[in-house]
Amino acid sequence: MEYTKQLSGFAAGLRYEDLPESAVAAAKTALLDWLGVAVAGAQAETTTILREVCLADMPGERQWVFGAGYATDSTRTAALVNGAASHALDFDDLHNPSVIHLGTVVIPAAWAVATARGASGRELLTAIVAGFEIGGRVGQSIIPESYHFWHTTGTAGIFGAAAAAGNLYRLDAAAMNHCLGTAGTQAAGLWEFLADGAMSKLVHAGKAAAGGVFAAELAARGFTGATHILEGEKGFCRALSPEPHWDVLLAGLGSGEYAVEANSYKPYPCCRHAHAAIAAALALREEGAEVADVTLHANALTLGLIDNPEPQTAYGCKFSVQYCLACALRDGEVTLAHFSEEDRRDPELRALMQRIRVVPAPDLDALRAADPTKMPARVEVRYRDGRRAEETVLYPPGDPTNPLSEAEMLRKYRSLTLPYLDEEQAEARLQLLAQAENVRDWAAAWRALQ
């Protein structure tokens, strides 16, 4: 089966007129969430270091880089820095079935190319839908087997970035095939950074976004890539999974149901695998009640990634379900402030973490195997007075089946942008996104807001 060829044809041929209103609305929601986390993420120390390195030899006034303005004339550099910024806070989106932060790789690639080419808002939205579709399908084909070593946002995510960029370049099906081939050969992103709580994670998103743009730019000039990069004997899927899930690559392709509509958005700024546990803990929390101990029954993906009882860095805490649960149980919320150095070293939080036990839950693994959109958790709390309580969460807030309301999404956007933009600037950007499909020249409309 020529999976790569068929996906290439879909990505190359998708046009705004093909999209139902629900897909357009979902793409605008993805754009809204991405913009908020990119504006705030641009202020992070990790992004600042990366941006300074990337822009050191790149003066110019062409591409917009969050945190630096029109600081580079390189489309690839803009995609890299903006992709990294939107991933820096771990407050970005997640496509549950593929376990990819699709917004952080697809949207910065599409944004950069749309800016460079003077694309319309409709073209930008279409590219976002195309990128989510291809990235999501490729990710599902290697999950969960590849996840122990490989961060899917960096590996499969590059296919989404390439598809979005290629769609904006108006690549035909053959050129898109080469584009995906060149994208796949760049795929990378290892989980080992978690052992040190290191900063490497945002590089995965940035490099995937930039690599996708690079692949599209090359293909537009006639550069060839592996035409069977997914299904080939030495191709992507076999390299990352002993038994790829071939059926998901094409199932329902072109049926009118799009991956962007199945995206989830975070109410808590930490690894999405912790969100079901946080939601369960918040449901059990009683003001003033003393917690004796907590047992978290976790699915295997959670256990393999965020079972970290002694995190030392901000990244470590975002990937420690024990830390996130302690914040939720003590304070009734998990916010960006919880990952400050002061909070990370709080003796009360550390003491509560020691009373949290994490155990495997085969029943929750079975639920996820039957439905990969589920990222479930079960929390048991024993109080000092002897009472016990239990809560299971299959779909945490922000999932498509338990979505954040429009008001909650707008509140998140404003909470992320208003510390760095005045209210008029934040609202002007919000209005641009709301009317994106009516914008004839995306670059000109964005520049007019500066």
Side-chain angles (χ1 to χ4, degrees):
M1 180 72 74
E2 292 190 309
Y3 297 107
T4 311
K5 182 178 180 179
Q6 293 195 52
L7 289 176
S8 299
F10 172 85
L14 190 66
R15 296 293 179 265
Y16 182 84
E17 292 71 26
D18 302 325
L19 303 180
E21 289 184 10
S22 57
V24 173
K28 289 163 70 174
T29 298
L31 194 54
L32 168 69
D33 191 71
W34 176 80
L35 180 60
V37 296
V39 168
Q43 318 305 318
E45 177 191 9
T46 49
T47 309
T48 301
I49 295 170
L50 183 144
R51 182 172 61 243
E52 288 175 351
V53 171
C54 289
L55 301 184
D57 300 316
M58 292 277 187
E61 295 292 335
R62 185 179 178 191
Q63 282 287 349
W64 176 266
V65 175
F66 290 105
Y70 288 97
T72 176
D73 58 2
S74 168
T75 305
R76 295 189 299 278
T77 300
L80 194 162
V81 179
N82 291 338
S86 59
H87 200 42
L89 301 179
D90 275 291
F91 214 171
D92 43 329
D93 70 328
L94 187 75
H95 180 248
N96 288 3
S98 64
V99 202
I100 301 177
H101 301 278
L102 285 170
T104 69
V105 291
V106 170
I107 299 179
W111 182 291
V113 176
T115 299
R117 294 180 61 79
S120 68
R122 290 188 174 194
E123 290 170 319
L124 174 62
L125 294 171
T126 304
I128 291 170
V129 175
F132 270 66
E133 196 66 27
I134 301 306
R137 287 173 179 273
V138 174
Q140 288 180 76
S141 74
I142 58 167
I143 285 294
E145 294 82 4
S146 77
Y147 208 64
H148 179 75
F149 295 107
W150 298 103
H151 183 202
T152 330
T153 299
T155 56
I158 196 171
F159 288 95
N167 182 275
L168 283 162
Y169 267 104
R170 288 288 190 262
L171 300 182
D172 62 21
M176 182 69 82
N177 198 166
H178 291 304
C179 174
L180 296 186
T182 299
T185 205
Q186 300 176 73
L190 290 163
W191 281 117
E192 182 60 21
F193 77 90
L194 280 177
D196 306 291
M199 298 177 176
S200 307
K201 187 168 183 272
L202 77 169
V203 175
H204 300 171
K207 290 290 284 184
V213 172
F214 186 44
E217 290 174 335
L218 291 171
R221 291 175 176 263
F223 193 89
T224 63
T227 56
H228 297 86
I229 193 66
L230 295 176
E231 67 273 18
E233 187 61 32
K234 297 183 179 180
F236 177 85
C237 292
R238 287 189 171 92
L240 272 74
S241 174
E243 295 184 7
H245 308 282
W246 302 112
D247 58 313
V248 299
L249 286 168
L250 300 180
L253 185 67
S255 66
E257 296 182 8
Y258 292 95
V260 71
E261 299 179 67
N263 213 35
S264 64
Y265 299 97
K266 291 182 179 181
Y268 321 118
C270 57
C271 180
R272 184 64 177 170
H273 292 289
H275 282 219
I278 292 169
L282 291 174
L284 295 173
R285 182 177 182 270
E286 294 184 19
E287 189 71 39
E290 290 191 50
V291 174
D293 54 61
V294 179
T295 301
L296 168 64
H297 301 262
N299 66 80
L301 280 177
T302 297
L303 279 172
L305 192 65
I306 59 172
D307 180 9
N308 182 5
E310 295 288 345
Q312 300 302 313
T313 67
Y315 262 113
C317 289
K318 286 174 178 284
F319 281 79
S320 167
V321 71
Q322 291 91 338
Y323 183 83
C324 295
L325 276 178
C327 294
L329 287 167
R330 190 190 72 169
D331 298 335
E333 59 182 356
V334 180
T335 68
L336 286 170
H338 279 111
F339 301 97
S340 67
E341 184 172 358
E342 181 181 0
D343 274 41
R344 297 198 313 267
R345 302 194 183 287
D346 187 299
E348 186 180 356
L349 280 176
R350 290 286 169 172
L352 181 52
M353 288 172 65
Q354 298 305 310
R355 303 199 297 275
I356 297 174
R357 185 170 64 108
V358 181
V359 299
D363 61 319
L364 299 184
D365 288 333
L367 284 175
R368 177 162 173 81
D371 181 358
T373 66
K374 292 179 179 175
M375 304 181 79
R378 182 166 59 253
V379 174
E380 296 178 28
V381 176
R382 184 172 67 88
Y383 296 98
R384 295 285 189 192
D385 60 12
R387 291 179 300 114
R388 295 177 180 270
E390 177 183 304
E391 182 78 12
T392 299
V393 171
L394 301 181
Y395 299 104
D399 272 13
T401 52
N402 186 18
L404 299 180
S405 67
E406 181 180 357
E408 288 171 319
M409 291 295 295
L410 291 174
R411 187 158 54 246
K412 177 182 175 181
Y413 166 80
R414 292 184 176 116
S415 73
L416 289 167
T417 57
L418 288 178
Y420 311 107
L421 303 173
D422 64 38
E423 188 168 352
E424 184 177 346
Q425 290 176 320
E427 292 304 308
R429 286 157 175 76
L430 192 60
Q431 290 304 312
L432 176 63
L433 300 189
Q435 300 298 320
E437 68 270 38
N438 299 321
V439 176
R440 292 194 173 189
D441 185 330
W442 185 260
W446 178 257
R447 188 181 293 273
L449 299 178
Q450 309 318 313

